[in-house]
């Protein structure tokens, strides 16, 4: 049945490869958050912040345009090579990563920090872990799209790609727990701790949504 759908759905590449196009601005938002955090650590969050906010707004606009184009080229549900509900679920999870990055940027730009350097170092480590989780989503997505469209890749190998995303998320969660404990133990102004807790929540959401993307990709290729 799947082989027949591959032949009968001429627009399948537009919407399936569109998921990879949509991933591109999502991934670029990580660099914006990383730059904002660097400014935050250097106590220069307000310098050029509007530029960073403009960049991430532009990325959101790009992602929205890609998503609209992809949705407009969807064939009838019966001719789709993946379940339509799963397809929409995936795009929502992937879009949520960018939304969380945008929210993190907002909190980072509220002022200069006054928290211990060891807390900032641990925060930087957590940000790195989250970046790795989101970046592992790209090969998982690319291999899933290739398997669905061509059927040439090994299904077990593609599932390993999905598992890699989940493993990265679990590693990030361990650092998150340490960071959370350090934040509550820090002798810092409540406003600084409160702000970083919100950024922490945004980063956790990014990592969790990447894991949710991987789970949805696995469901797409379930027999």
């Amino acid at each position: 049945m799947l082989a027949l759908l591959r032949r009968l759905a001429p627009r399948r590449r537009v919407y399936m490869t569109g998921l990879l196009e949509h991933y591109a601005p999502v991934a670029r938002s990580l660099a914006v958050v990383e730059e904002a955090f660097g400014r935050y650590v250097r106590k220069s969050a307000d310098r050029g912040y509007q530029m960073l906010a403009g960049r991430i707004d532009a990325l959101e606009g790009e992602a929205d345009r890609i998503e609209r184009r992809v949705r407009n080229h969807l064939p009838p549900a019966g001719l789709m090579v993946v379940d339509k509900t799963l397809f929409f679920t995936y795009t929502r999870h992937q879009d949520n990563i960018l939304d969380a990055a945008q929210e993190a940027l907002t909190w980072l730009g509220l002022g200069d920090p006054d928290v211990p350097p060891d807390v900032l170092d641990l925060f930087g480590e957590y940000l790195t872990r989250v970046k790795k989780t989101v970046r592992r989503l790209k090969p998982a997505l690319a291999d899933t799209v290739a398997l669905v469209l061509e059927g040439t890749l090994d299904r077990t190998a593609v599932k390993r790609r999905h598992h890699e995303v989940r493993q990265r998320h679990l590693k990030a969660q361990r650092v998150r727990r340490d960071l959370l404990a350090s934040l509550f133990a820090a002798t810092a102004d409540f406003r600084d701790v409160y702000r970083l807790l919100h950024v922490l929540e945004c980063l956790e959401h990014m990592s969790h949504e990447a894991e949710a993307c991987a789970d949805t990709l696995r469901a797409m290729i379930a027999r």
Side-chain angles (χ1 to χ4, degrees):
M1 181 62 179
L2 182 57
L4 179 62
L5 288 178
R6 289 182 183 128
R7 292 195 297 270
L8 294 180
R11 294 189 293 178
R12 66 189 184 278
R13 292 188 181 276
V14 176
Y15 68 86
M16 288 303 297
T17 58
L19 296 179
L20 280 165
E21 293 180 53
H22 183 263
Y23 172 85
V26 171
R28 292 202 298 274
S29 71
L30 292 167
V32 181
V33 174
E34 187 174 35
E35 184 174 346
F37 180 71
R39 291 176 181 271
Y40 178 79
V41 171
R42 296 190 301 270
K43 297 189 177 183
S44 58
D46 58 331
R47 300 173 191 171
Y49 174 73
Q50 292 301 321
M51 175 196 68
L52 294 178
R55 280 170 54 186
I56 209 162
D57 287 346
L59 290 173
E60 183 182 36
E62 179 183 350
D64 287 345
R65 286 192 297 273
I66 294 171
E67 185 176 0
R68 284 195 300 271
R69 176 170 54 80
V70 170
R71 286 172 179 260
N72 289 338
H73 285 82
L74 288 178
L79 291 178
M80 289 185 66
V81 291
V82 296
D83 180 83
K84 193 170 189 176
T85 300
L86 289 176
F87 185 89
F88 285 145
T89 298
Y90 181 88
T91 57
R92 183 176 68 253
H93 286 311
Q94 191 161 266
D95 197 53
N96 286 344
I97 298 173
L98 181 50
D99 289 342
Q102 192 173 33
E103 183 70 6
L105 186 68
T106 298
W107 284 97
L108 285 171
L110 291 180
D112 295 335
D114 187 17
V115 293
D118 59 322
V119 174
L120 292 177
D121 290 343
L122 194 56
F123 209 97
E125 181 182 350
Y126 181 56
L127 174 57
T128 298
R129 295 284 186 177
V130 171
K131 283 172 49 187
K132 289 180 178 179
T133 303
V134 177
R135 285 177 177 171
R136 292 311 301 167
L137 180 59
K138 183 178 180 179
L141 173 58
D143 283 2
T144 301
V145 170
L147 176 63
V148 168
L149 292 182
E150 308 298 340
T152 55
L153 296 181
D154 178 66
R155 186 180 298 268
T156 302
V158 177
K159 288 180 179 179
R160 281 198 295 268
R161 293 288 199 187
H162 305 156
H163 184 67
E164 288 171 3
V165 179
R166 289 193 292 271
Q167 288 299 106
R168 292 288 187 182
H169 174 65
L170 290 175
K171 290 179 180 179
Q173 287 295 86
R174 297 188 190 105
V175 178
R176 176 186 174 274
R177 287 193 291 269
D178 292 340
L179 177 55
L180 193 59
S182 297
L183 276 172
F184 273 94
T187 55
D189 186 88
F190 171 77
R191 288 174 301 178
D192 289 311
V193 174
Y194 183 77
R195 184 191 318 163
L196 283 181
L197 282 173
H198 273 280
V199 179
L200 175 63
E201 182 181 359
C202 293
L203 294 181
E204 195 279 333
H205 193 51
M206 293 171 71
S207 182
H208 178 74
E209 289 296 318
E211 182 194 34
C213 282
D215 290 341
T216 306
L217 290 175
R218 178 154 185 159
M220 284 183 181
I221 66 171
R223 293 187 182 278

